[in-house]
Every structure is written in structure tokens, then in C-alpha cells.
């Protein structure tokens, strides 16, 4: 199976992945190593955009499970060459990689590229982020909350503040799978798109008023206002998103116990203040740690 978006997985499958992640974490903490579930296997990782967490998490995951990771930067395989499509077509890349590797991970600009890889590959394709989705991030986010509470508390509310981007889309859809109450506050015109909303089974609150969105919330989540590829809009976005900063004033409208989440990389002073992200309420580095646990769990689950 492929993981092109979070809705490719059922609730049961996600909980199975969480159990694997928890067991592998326990095993590693206790013995300093993991059983070699990915022994003699390889993950081919295509990156059209930069990455710290996704790249390192999957590379370390493959190594710790006895396999290896091959990093393929976009200029190496996609963009160079005289062919109008780049060096070769996406479908040919998929059909070659399945001869050599056991999993493909791809971080790309367009979701279409992920779909094309998946349609042409006999081995699982994992979406490592595209314009619309970031499913491995959502698995780590939900795992972090699930692990913190030993399950999902009834009436849990998750609120996203900022841009209705890939991270927000996947988080909303992940919450939807579990029936978790989800709320989002964005500037007008930056809401989660209709195309993504259609994939959800439950209704969620979408408002341009961030204070209204964080009312009674357990989690406040934010992400950059300028996703990779939108750098030209930097000045414009900084102005539009200013009222959507996650700061202590906004926090005072949430539950006293509310936790702060961010997929990272963070931009202190833009979408979040240093005071908030570095506060005891912040669980951003737990999320980051969960990226490795989920990467390991996915390698085991998908092969
Ligand atoms: N959160 C996340 O995906 O981080 P990277 O962009 O560094 O991989
Ligand atoms: N929305 C961000 C996520 C980075 C992990 C981006 O696409 O750049």
C-alpha cells in the first residue's frame, strides 16, 4: 500500500502503526537497539525541497532497523537533463526505483507527482510532504498526543492557527479519522480548501477569529506562514498573517492546560513567539522525536 495522504490509512491501521512505534521505542530505550525489521532493505528518498526532520528521521530509522537509505536530491534525478520533463519521467523513475529499493519516500512540490509515483510503483510510496499533504507529520503529531494521554481523551480539541497549508490539511484529516474536534483560524482566503474539506467525514470549525478558535482548546498548533516554494510572498504574507501569531495573549484564551505544537522549522517572532515555543507548554520536540518513531513504524508496517 501507499501513503500518499493520511486518509489512505484507516483508524485501525493508524493505531497499529502507533503500537509498533511504541514497542520499537520501548525496545530501543531498553536494549539500545531494535530488531532488524528492515534488514537488507532500502528506502529511496527523493527530495525536491529541503528537509531536516523527514530526511534524518527516515535515514536513521532505516539504519536502526538494519537497512539503508539513499538520498536523491531533485537536481540529480528530476530537474537536470535536456528532456522537457527533466532528466526522465516520474513514471520511469518509479519503475526503476522499484527494481532497487523496497520503499520510495518523496518530498515534492505537486501532489500529482506523488500520485504518479504511486501509480507506477509496485513498492510502497510515502508522501514526505507535498503542496497538499504531510501525512508522516500528522502521524507523528497524533502519536505525540496519543502517547501523552495514553489514548485520545473524549472531547479533545485541536486548534490550528495560521495558514491552511499541507500541515493543516493533514492534521484536520487525521483528527477527522478519530472524530477529534478540530478548529482552524486563518486569514480570509487562506482557509483549508474545498478539495481537502471534501475528504473529511465530520464538520470542523473554520474562522478568521483566532481567539474564537482557541476557546476551550487542548492543543494549539501552528506552522510557518511561508511554506517552501512561497518565498516570493514573504512580505505580503508577513503582513496578512500578523494577527495570527501564537503568543501568550492568544494562549490566555485557550484552556489553562493547553499544549503548543509546531511541525518545525519554526520562525520565532513570526508565526510563534520565542516565549511560547520555549515555554513548558510546548511539546514541539516530543513531536520531533515522534518523527523517528513513526518513520521506524512505517518501515516495518509497509514492508
Ligand atoms: N516537519 C518537517 O517535515 O520538517 P522538515 O521539513 O525538516 O523535514
Ligand atoms: N508548511 C510547511 C511545512 C514544513 C515542514 C512547508 O510546506 O514548507
Amino acid at each position: 500500500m501507499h501513503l500518499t495522504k493520511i486518509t489512505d490509512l484507516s483508524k485501525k491501521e493508524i493505531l497499529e502503526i502507533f503500537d509498533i512505534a511504541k514497542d520499537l521505542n520501548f525496545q530501543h530505550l531498553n536494549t539500545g537497539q531494535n530488531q532488524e525489521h528492515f534488514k537488507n532493505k532500502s528506502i529511496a528518498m527523493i527530495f525536491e525541497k529541503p528537509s531536516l526532520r523527514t530526511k534524518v528521521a527516515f535515514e536513521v530509522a532505516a539504519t536502526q532497523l538494519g537497512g539503508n537509505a539513499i538520498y536523491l536530491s531533485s537536481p540529480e534525478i528530476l530537474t537536470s537533463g535536456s528532456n522537457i520533463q527533466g532528466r526522465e519521467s516520474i513514471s520511469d523513475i518509479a519503475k526503476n526505483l522499484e527494481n532497487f529499493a523496497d520503499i520510495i519516500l518523496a518530498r515534492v512540490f505537486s501532489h500529482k507527482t506523488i500520485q504518479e509515483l504511486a501509480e507506477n510503483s509496485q513498492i510502497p510510496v510515502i508522501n514526505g510532504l507535498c503542496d497538499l499533504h504531510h501525512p508522516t507529520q500528522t502521524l507523528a503529531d497524533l502519536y505525540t498526543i496519543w502517547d501523552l494521554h495514553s489514548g485520545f481523551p473524549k472531547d479533545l480539541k485541536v486548534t490550528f492557527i495560521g495558514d491552511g497549508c499541507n500541515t493543516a490539511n493533514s492534521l484536520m484529516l487525521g483528527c477527522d479519522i478519530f472524530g477529534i474536534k478540530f478548529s482552524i483560524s486563518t486569514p480570509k482566503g487562506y482557509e483549508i480548501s474545498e478539495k481537502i474539506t471534501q475528504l473529511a467525514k465530520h464538520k470542523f470549525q473554520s474562522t478568521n477569529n483566532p481567539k474564537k478558535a482557541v476557546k476551550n482548546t487542548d492543543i494549539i498548533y501552528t506552522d510557518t506562514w511561508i511554506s517552501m516554494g512561497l518565498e516570493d510572498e514573504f512580505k505580503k504574507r508577513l503582513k496578512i498573517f500578523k494577527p495570527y501569531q501564537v503568543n501568550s495573549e492568544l494562549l490566555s484564551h485557550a484552556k489553562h492546560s493547553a499544549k503548543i505544537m509546531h511541525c518545525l522549522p519554526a520562525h520565532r517572532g513570526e508565526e510563534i513567539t520565542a516565549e511560547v515555543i520555549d515555554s513548558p507548554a510546548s511539546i514541539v520536540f516530543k513531536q520531533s522525536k515522534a518523527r523517528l518513531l513513526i518513520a521506524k513504524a512505517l518501515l516495518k508496517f509497509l514492508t
Side-chain angles (χ1 to χ4, degrees):
M1 75 177 291
H2 303 296
L3 178 55
T4 66
K5 53 186 185 306
I6 192 73
T7 49
D8 291 349
L9 295 167
S10 66
K11 190 199 298 194
K12 189 168 166 277
E13 286 168 330
I14 296 178
L15 289 173
E16 199 182 318
I17 291 166
F18 287 0
D19 282 336
I20 299 173
K22 203 179 167 85
D23 285 352
L24 290 175
N25 187 33
F26 189 72
Q27 193 181 80
H28 202 269
L29 283 173
N30 280 298
T31 66
Q33 58 187 16
N34 281 129
Q35 247 177 294
E36 297 194 315
H37 297 290
F38 202 59
K39 194 173 168 60
N40 292 329
K41 291 185 177 161
S42 303
I43 176 167
M45 310 196 301
I46 302 169
F47 280 87
E48 286 186 350
K49 298 177 183 177
S51 170
L52 174 71
R53 281 144 292 269
T54 309
K55 177 182 182 291
V56 178
F58 275 93
E59 191 156 341
V60 171
T63 308
Q64 289 188 359
L65 297 187
N68 78 316
I70 300 142
Y71 175 73
L72 300 158
S73 74
S74 156
E76 261 174 72
I77 61 162
L78 286 168
T79 50
S80 61
S82 51
N83 192 321
I84 194 162
Q85 292 168 301
R87 189 161 185 266
E88 59 191 312
S89 70
I90 302 295
S91 58
D92 283 359
I93 291 173
K95 286 172 187 161
N96 278 278
L97 288 179
E98 72 183 16
N99 290 332
F100 311 131
D102 301 276
I103 294 194
I104 297 170
L105 170 89
R107 167 166 288 195
V108 298
F109 283 96
S110 168
H111 186 60
K112 281 201 187 90
T113 308
I114 296 286
Q115 286 172 317
E116 216 175 319
L117 282 169
E119 278 157 20
N120 289 284
S121 162
Q122 300 295 323
I123 58 170
V125 171
I126 300 176
N127 181 350
L129 179 148
C130 67
D131 53 344
L132 298 180
H133 301 279
H134 197 0
T136 63
Q137 181 66 51
T138 297
L139 286 172
D141 298 339
L142 292 179
Y143 177 84
T144 306
I145 301 170
W146 176 84
D147 190 47
L148 203 68
H149 296 278
S150 305
F152 293 121
K154 199 173 160 276
D155 295 331
L156 177 78
K157 180 178 170 188
V158 174
T159 303
F160 188 97
I161 305 290
D163 186 17
C165 64
N166 43 17
T167 307
N169 291 345
S170 291
L171 185 66
M172 181 278 286
L173 292 171
C175 288
D176 184 69
I177 292 171
F178 285 93
I180 296 169
K181 210 179 292 165
F182 181 81
S183 173
I184 181 165
S185 184
T186 70
K188 220 174 167 30
Y190 294 88
E191 291 89 356
I192 290 180
S193 70
E194 188 51 35
K195 190 169 156 187
I196 297 293
T197 304
Q198 277 173 1
L199 297 172
K201 291 193 194 77
H202 305 88
K203 287 217 176 313
F204 61 92
Q205 183 189 35
S206 180
T207 166
N208 304 128
N209 181 342
K211 285 178 192 145
K212 201 168 146 190
V214 300
K215 197 163 180 271
N216 272 324
T217 201
D218 300 284
I219 304 285
I220 300 180
Y221 196 123
T222 191
D223 182 14
T224 181
W225 295 335
I226 302 114
S227 283
M228 290 177 279
L230 300 176
E231 288 79 7
D232 286 355
E233 298 180 26
F234 183 79
K235 274 200 177 137
K236 179 183 137 195
R237 281 179 170 254
L238 230 48
K239 223 164 133 189
I240 294 172
F241 282 86
K242 204 164 183 265
Y244 295 83
Q245 185 184 65
V246 173
N247 51 35
S248 39
E249 210 284 311
L250 183 65
L251 233 70
S252 70
H253 296 269
K255 267 188 191 169
H256 187 63
S257 56
K259 298 276 184 266
I260 304 300
M261 296 181 78
H262 192 309
C263 60
L264 307 177
H267 308 84
R268 287 167 171 78
E270 292 178 23
E271 73 274 6
I272 194 160
T273 57
E275 186 190 13
V276 167
I277 197 168
D278 298 327
S279 75
S282 169
I283 53 170
V284 301
F285 294 110
K286 275 196 179 16
Q287 278 176 268
S288 155
K289 168 91 191 289
R291 295 297 309 271
L292 173 62
L293 306 182
I294 289 296
K296 287 202 261 191
L298 280 173
L299 295 186
K300 181 169 185 233
F301 179 80
L302 291 170
T303 56

